[in-house]
């Protein structure tokens, strides 16, 4: 699970087959919507706790390593 505030990017990723998403109802037109199945959630009473993940033994960039240390 990933949180992203850039809704058009999330819509584009889903359009390319890279997952599913839960987003706020959108009131604007998108070229991608004709390719989607959209289900409106009437009662969404869930809370999400964010986590960070990385591959165990794979190298990461210096900036990513610093961020990882800062967040742990």
């Amino acid at each position: 699970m990933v949180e992203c505030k850039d809704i058009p990017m999330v819509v584009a990723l889903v359009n390319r087959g890279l997952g599913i998403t839960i987003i706020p109802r959108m009131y604007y037109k998108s070229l991608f919507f004709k390719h989607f199945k959209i289900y409106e959630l009437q009662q969404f009473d869930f809370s999400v706790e964010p986590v960070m993940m990385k591959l165990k033994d794979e190298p990461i960039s210096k900036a990513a390593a610093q961020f990882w240390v800062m967040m742990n």
Side-chain angles (χ1 to χ4, degrees), residues 13-68:
L13 290 171
V14 172
N15 185 58
R16 294 188 183 202
L18 298 174
I20 63 174
T21 187
I22 298 173
I23 58 174
R25 180 186 293 177
M26 297 169 49
Y27 293 104
Y28 64 88
K29 295 283 185 189
S30 170
L31 299 174
F32 301 126
F33 283 144
K34 63 184 174 185
H35 302 289
F36 290 150
K37 282 194 176 234
I38 298 174
Y39 300 96
E40 290 195 21
L41 304 173
Q42 301 300 321
Q43 293 181 333
F44 188 74
D45 297 329
F46 297 99
S47 145
V48 177
E49 184 175 328
V51 299
M52 288 183 14
M53 297 188 311
K54 70 179 186 77
L55 293 173
K56 281 185 177 180
D57 298 320
E58 293 296 318
I60 57 176
S61 70
K62 184 177 180 180
Q66 289 174 343
F67 181 73
W68 183 263

